[in-house]
């Protein structure tokens, strides 16, 4: 079997002496990038086990980095995930994944990128007996939550899987109000669906949570037999390759070992590739220089595939929550092209020079290429394109947009994904998680923790009169 392809990164569209970078700028940053890489590689959690953490490194949720290799090597958690999700799949045809932020966005990214389009609309056979997946507990939106409850309750009345549903509830802290409230409400509905039998309902629930905390206690109390951990030292938005992302991914029928292998391959590349060939260091170097030297503090991730919109939103959270501290940090923005060329391109082409555009380009589409085709009605003048396919049009749109931006000195960079499959997504997640940490070290910002988010939570609890 041919060895799997790695992501490719090309920053040449950002090389522009007037508004962008020059090759020598990147070369001059190499020592600082090397230091940041070295620092990150030293940040093995073991390093701090017996010593006191320096305040600027507290918290140090570095555990995500080695997790892919560890899970692949140990195998025990992967086997348990496989077993628990197989059992649930045999029993139900719909699963609600409850979680928010880092406990949700990675799983949504995987569903949209790696499963067939319109997955939930497909028949059980077409889904290969994998359940339909819904997401809730990521808001406190009354109508959305009621709508999903109604949908679940109105399923076919049968004891076969087609008539039954289950829950995966994910919360590292076990205390996040959106998820906790949803769990209470969905568990009540599930218990009713199980004829009031809580023990039966609990068999259809898989919790993913920290070892201690309210959700861990509740899960035990109601009798959930299989609970998966969010390991200590792995922060929420860095947890997609733990059970947080792996349990939903296994339910979707995805190959979680390939996902982890993609991440492990990215680790190996990051550790060993020289700076000028290292996609992580190149990406960090170019975005960092454009921000600090050229004021490009809006970082636009232009995904050229609908399937990658949620992956872009996952990165929005990662970057914003990790580096948006101490009045610093670039502002992320995901655009889906060509759709958003019709809503944002005007500003991107002629607006403020405060943006860098990273194109995320899929090299191999999953479905056969769809040709424009011939028609005897040629009033739309499309017969001239009849042999062209949608991928041909997309390639022309990418090239045309890059050329238009280049003519005006707008910096673009290309990140190529070999495909929208598990191995590519594993690489993508790991690349951007490492890049965020390296950039944090370069800026002197601790990428872990999110102290600012606690403020609204505390206010909300006070307003509600909660303990
Ligand atoms: O990155 C983070 O830590 C956050 O986005 C959390 O994932 C989010 O707040 C949800 O937290 P929890 O998993 O504790 O419910």
């Amino acid at each position: 079997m041919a060895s799997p392809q790695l992501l490719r990164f090309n920053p040449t569209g950002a090389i522009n002496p007037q508004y962008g970078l020059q090759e020598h700028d990147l070369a001059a940053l190499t020592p600082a990038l090397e230091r940041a890489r070295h620092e990150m590689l030293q940040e093995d959690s073991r390093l701090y086990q017996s010593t006191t953490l320096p305040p600027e490194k507290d918290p140090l949720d570095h555990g995500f980095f080695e997790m892919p290799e560890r899970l692949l090597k140990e195998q025990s958690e992967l086997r348990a995930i496989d077993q628990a999700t197989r059992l649930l799949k045999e029993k139900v045809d719909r699963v609600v994944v409850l979680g928010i932020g880092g406990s949700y966005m990675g799983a949504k990214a995987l569903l949209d990128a790696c499963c067939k389009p319109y997955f939930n609309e497909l028949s059980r056979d077409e889904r290969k007996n994998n359940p339909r997946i819904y997401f809730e507990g990521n808001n406190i939106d009354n109508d959305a939550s009621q709508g999903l409850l109604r949908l679940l309750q109105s399923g076919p009345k049968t004891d076969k899987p087609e008539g039954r549903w289950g829950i995966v509830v994910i919360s590292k802290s076990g205390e996040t109000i959106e998820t906790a409230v949803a769990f209470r409400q969905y568990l009540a509905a599930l218990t009713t669906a199980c004829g009031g039998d809580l023990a039966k309902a609990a068999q259809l629930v898989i919790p993913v949570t920290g070892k201690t905390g309210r959700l861990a206690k509740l899960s035990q109390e109601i009798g959930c037999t299989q609970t998966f951990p969010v390991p200590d030292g792995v922060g929420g938005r860095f947890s997609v390759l733990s059970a947080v992302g792996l349990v939903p991914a296994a339910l979707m029928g995805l190959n979680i070992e390939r996902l982890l292998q993609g991440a492990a391959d990215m680790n190996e590349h990051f550790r060993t590739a020289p700076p000028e060939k290292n996609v992580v260091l190149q990406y960090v170097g170019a975005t960092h220089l454009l921000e600090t030297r050229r004021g490009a503090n809006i970082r636009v991730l232009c995904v050229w595939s609908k399937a990658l919109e949620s992956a872009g939103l996952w990165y929005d959270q990662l970057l914003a929550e990790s580096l948006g501290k101490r009045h610093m940090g670039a502002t992320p923005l995901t655009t889906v092209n060509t759709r958003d060329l019709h809503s944002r391109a005007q500003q991107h082409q002629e607006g403020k020079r405060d943006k860098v555009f990273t194109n995320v380009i899929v090299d191999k589409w999953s479905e056969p290429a769809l040709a424009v085709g011939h028609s005897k009605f040629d009033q739309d003048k499309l017969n001239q394109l009849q042999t062209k396919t949608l991928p041909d049009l997309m390639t022309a749109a990418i090239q045309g947009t890059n050329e238009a931006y280049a003519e005006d000195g707008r910096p673009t960079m290309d990140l190529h994904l070999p495909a929208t499959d598990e191995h590519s997504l594993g690489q993508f997640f790991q690349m951007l998680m490492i890049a965020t940490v390296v950039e944090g070290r370069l800026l002197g910002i601790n990428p872990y923790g999110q102290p600012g988010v606690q403020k609204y939570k505390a206010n909300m609890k006070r307003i509600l009169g909660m303990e």
Side-chain angles (χ1 to χ4, degrees):
M1 206 172 91
S3 58
Q5 285 178 289
L6 286 182
L7 300 192
R8 285 184 297 123
F9 180 66
N10 180 359
T12 47
I15 307 289
N16 172 307
Q18 200 179 358
Y19 299 112
L21 305 172
Q22 305 201 54
E23 300 274 5
H24 59 78
D25 293 331
L26 274 167
L29 193 68
T30 302
L33 288 170
E34 282 281 33
R35 273 195 304 279
R37 166 163 67 172
H38 182 73
E39 187 178 348
M40 178 164 182
L41 294 177
Q42 293 299 305
E43 282 168 356
D44 188 313
S45 42
R46 278 184 307 244
L47 190 72
Y48 291 104
Q49 257 170 19
S50 53
T51 54
T52 316
L53 215 50
E56 70 280 7
K57 292 240 162 148
D58 190 10
L60 180 64
D61 287 338
H62 181 72
F64 82 92
F65 182 60
E66 289 183 322
M67 193 166 51
E69 285 98 335
R70 182 175 58 73
L71 290 175
L72 284 168
K73 189 163 165 244
E74 290 171 2
Q75 283 286 321
S76 52
E77 187 164 337
L78 301 187
R79 275 198 295 272
I81 290 176
D82 182 57
Q83 200 183 6
T85 53
R86 265 176 205 277
L87 268 179
L88 190 61
K89 286 182 203 190
E90 282 165 15
K91 293 181 192 155
V92 305
D93 193 49
R94 285 166 295 169
V95 169
V96 187
V97 178
L98 303 176
I100 193 166
S103 290
Y104 143 68
M105 303 188 83
K108 178 76 165 77
L110 285 167
L111 176 75
D112 292 356
C114 300
C115 293
K116 282 196 182 304
Y118 304 103
F119 180 79
N120 281 353
E121 312 289 323
L122 303 177
S123 69
R124 191 165 163 82
D125 273 357
E126 287 166 322
R127 281 180 278 116
K128 305 199 169 109
N129 291 338
N130 298 305
R132 299 169 214 269
I133 305 286
Y134 302 91
F135 294 94
E136 252 308 332
N138 52 47
N139 210 320
I140 34 183
D141 180 318
N142 183 66
D143 293 359
S145 209
Q146 284 281 31
L148 181 56
L149 281 169
R150 200 173 311 121
L151 186 75
L152 296 167
Q153 284 155 354
S154 66
K157 301 280 170 268
T158 163
D159 265 349
K160 291 193 181 145
E162 284 80 349
R164 302 172 75 203
W165 57 280
I167 298 174
V168 173
V169 53
I170 309 174
S171 175
K172 181 181 175 190
S173 63
E175 300 201 357
T176 303
I177 190 152
E178 289 89 340
T179 308
V181 167
F183 185 45
R184 176 174 286 211
Q185 295 169 331
Y186 280 76
L187 181 64
L190 186 60
T191 309
T192 306
C194 293
D197 187 338
L198 176 63
K200 205 165 154 194
Q203 298 310 305
L204 305 178
V205 176
I206 303 182
V208 180
T209 189
K211 285 199 196 83
T212 55
R214 294 178 186 180
L215 178 59
K217 277 191 210 136
L218 179 60
S219 311
Q220 204 179 4
E221 192 62 31
I222 64 177
C224 297
T225 39
Q226 180 72 72
T227 302
F228 288 94
V230 187
D232 289 340
V234 177
R237 58 193 170 277
F238 292 87
S239 67
V240 56
L241 299 172
S242 73
V244 169
L246 298 179
V247 170
L251 285 167
M252 293 166 204
L254 300 183
N255 184 333
I256 58 178
E257 294 210 22
R258 294 286 301 149
L259 187 64
L260 292 170
Q261 192 55 54
D265 291 346
M266 181 52 67
N267 277 353
E268 183 59 15
H269 170 79
F270 170 65
R271 285 190 194 101
T272 56
E276 65 286 0
K277 290 198 176 135
N278 193 305
V279 299
V280 179
L281 298 182
Q282 289 283 297
Y283 175 76
V284 176
T287 49
H288 175 75
L289 286 171
L290 285 162
E291 186 184 345
T292 49
R293 302 253 182 97
R294 298 295 193 183
N297 51 29
I298 300 187
R299 200 167 294 173
V300 187
L301 198 74
C302 311
V303 301
W304 294 85
S305 157
K306 287 185 175 188
L308 293 173
E309 180 166 18
S310 298
L313 296 177
W314 169 87
Y315 180 55
D316 283 2
Q317 186 217 1
L318 180 71
L319 185 63
E321 255 190 356
S322 302
L323 302 185
K325 290 166 187 164
R326 294 174 36 215
H327 313 281
M328 289 194 266
T331 299
L333 171 69
T334 288
T335 65
V336 181
N337 289 343
T338 63
R339 183 190 76 191
D340 294 347
L341 293 178
H342 296 259
S343 57
R344 294 187 181 274
Q346 168 60 39
Q347 186 184 42
H348 292 175
Q349 181 75 52
E350 295 184 351
K352 281 191 192 167
R353 291 190 182 277
D354 56 0
K355 301 170 196 71
V356 46
F357 304 94
T358 303
N359 296 304
V360 183
I361 301 167
V362 180
D363 286 342
K364 189 171 178 300
W365 294 86
S366 305
E367 300 284 338
L370 188 60
V372 173
H374 177 82
S375 170
K376 63 181 179 180
F377 303 106
D378 194 34
Q379 285 75 7
D380 54 14
K381 296 286 174 216
L382 289 179
N383 279 347
Q384 58 188 317
L385 295 180
Q386 60 183 294
T387 58
K388 300 278 184 205
T389 63
L390 292 184
D392 294 332
L393 302 191
M394 190 62 101
T395 303
I398 297 170
Q399 198 182 324
T401 309
N402 272 353
E403 281 176 15
Y405 289 176
E407 277 161 25
D408 197 53
R410 310 265 162 178
T412 61
M413 309 189 289
D414 295 342
L415 179 64
H416 287 265
L417 255 61
T420 49
D421 61 8
E422 294 92 329
H423 190 262
S424 291
L425 263 285
Q427 290 186 65
F428 175 86
F429 288 138
Q430 195 74 357
M431 171 194 161
L432 292 173
M433 288 192 285
I434 302 171
T436 303
V437 176
V438 171
E439 191 178 352
R441 296 311 181 209
L442 219 53
L443 291 167
I445 292 177
N446 186 356
Y448 305 115
Q450 55 283 336
V453 185
Q454 306 312 326
K455 293 190 179 163
Y456 98 85
K457 288 188 189 168
N459 287 348
M460 190 176 162
K461 283 189 175 169
R462 175 181 47 76
I463 293 162
L464 289 169
M466 279 179 82
E467 282 176 39

